DNA sequence: TTATTAAAGGACAATATGGTCTTTTTGTAT
DNA sequence: ATACAAAAAGACCATATTGTCCTTTAATAA
């Protein structure tokens, strides 16, 4: 489904939000361990997300990552656009340069429906909504 | 959706089948041009598909690629398994090592449905069924 | 103020994917 | 038999992705 960078970003952010709910600000070592991802690579990815404005961080003792409570929830589609580019789920499944209803490829009829449902999923769900599910239903992050 | 190799393989095979329907056996130069793919890379991919037994080829004058009429239609899922590995559409959308109904990730509930519909699509459709659609409805390969 | 902690930054390496080109082999037509 | 055409084979290169590690910066606590 997603590439590694997106996976680590997604799992990492959900873990951070989950800890924020418990009034904690986890650091890279803890995060990487909990989501079973390479520590330094995860750190680099989180850095980028901070620079992109999705997330905040604090250096030094007691530091770590956290979400700005004043910001709106982060839709997965925003995250994916940042990590994989914004045409991930708009392009043709057959590999044509553009998906065009009027000049469809032989996959279009069935694929377009699926693509729409993926877009709905990643627009409806947010890092926060996933963290809530994990919290309430005691789901897994690894 | 798919990686480049799978895309070129898919478009190439559909083009070959389409030409076979017209009693022609296209070669690598023609195929690559018609599907707008890199010529030598396409040639290499087709070689692999021949070795994998999906396709046949003839060298020399009048040679080219063609499907064995006695073989059953080639499901897209078989092709994708060969090019991308067989766990492409069975793994967890959140990146967990295994997708498990009993220990679901927070994406599972909605993602599993979509994944099922992808699996249905690539099981139902075959290279031949796509070629038929292109033939009957005069659809696009590029 | 100083020691400590943790993120930021950046160099570097490994691997996978995507792509090009040349030579060899094999089949066909003449 | 010979020339030619086209796939097969394989060396090689480019780029993107994934991953590691070391140094610097900034924040906190003592
Ligand atoms: S044209 Fe291929 S998916 Fe729309
Ligand atoms: S557990 Fe993640 S998709 Fe099933």
């Amino acid at each position: 489904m997603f590439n590694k960078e997106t996976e680590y970003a997604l799992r990492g952010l959900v873990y951070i939000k989950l800890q924020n709910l418990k009034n904690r600000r986890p650091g890279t070592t803890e995060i990487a361990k909990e989501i079973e991802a390479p520590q330094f690579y995860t750190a680099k990815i989180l850095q980028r997300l901070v620079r992109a404005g999705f997330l905040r961080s604090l250096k030094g003792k007691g530091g770590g990552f956290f979400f700005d409570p004043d910001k709106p929830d982060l839709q997965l589609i925003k995250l994916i656009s940042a990590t994989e580019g914004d045409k991930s789920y708009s392009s043709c499944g057959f590999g044509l340069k553009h998906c065009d209803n009027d000049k469809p490829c032989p996959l279009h009829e069935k694929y377009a429906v699926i693509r729409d449902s993926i877009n709905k999923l990643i627009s409806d769900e947010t890092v926060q909504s996933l963290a809530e599910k994990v919290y309430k239903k005691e789901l897994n992050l690894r």
Side-chain angles (χ1 to χ4, degrees), chain A:
Chain A
M1 183 70 172
F2 306 124
N3 61 26
K4 293 292 182 190
E5 180 177 348
T6 304
E7 276 186 9
Y8 299 153
L10 181 54
R11 294 214 302 280
L13 291 179
V14 169
Y15 179 76
I16 292 166
K17 178 63 193 177
L18 186 64
Q19 293 308 311
N20 289 173
L21 289 173
K22 302 173 187 172
N23 288 311
R24 296 189 64 252
R25 282 194 303 237
T28 54
T29 310
E30 175 184 341
I31 296 166
K33 191 169 293 175
E34 290 299 318
I35 68 173
E36 288 187 332
Q39 174 177 351
F40 295 106
Y41 191 35
T42 304
K44 175 180 294 186
I45 292 167
L46 291 176
Q47 276 174 40
R48 290 186 199 138
L49 295 174
V50 169
R51 257 181 292 179
F54 292 138
L55 187 68
R56 295 184 54 191
S57 66
L58 263 183
K59 289 182 178 180
K61 272 182 182 164
F65 295 88
F66 60 100
F67 285 90
D68 187 334
D70 296 336
K71 277 211 164 186
D73 286 4
L74 175 56
Q75 289 178 306
L76 302 194
I77 196 171
K78 298 277 183 191
L79 176 64
I80 295 162
S81 292
T83 53
E84 304 192 357
D86 51 4
K87 61 186 184 318
S88 301
Y89 297 102
S90 60
S91 54
C92 169
F94 200 60
L96 305 191
K97 279 197 284 296
H98 309 286
C99 170
D100 184 345
N101 256 307
D102 299 327
K103 293 184 66 176
C105 72
L107 275 178
H108 180 91
E109 193 179 358
K110 292 182 176 176
Y111 176 64
V113 178
I114 293 172
R115 200 182 48 195
D116 285 347
S117 66
I118 293 175
N119 275 303
K120 178 165 166 40
L121 169 63
I122 64 180
S123 300
D124 288 350
E125 296 292 338
T126 66
V127 167
Q128 287 79 2
S129 72
L130 296 184
E132 283 288 341
K133 289 185 198 190
V134 174
Y135 189 69
K136 289 184 185 162
K137 305 183 186 173
E138 292 180 7
L139 302 183
N140 277 271
L141 287 182
R142 59 175 182 185

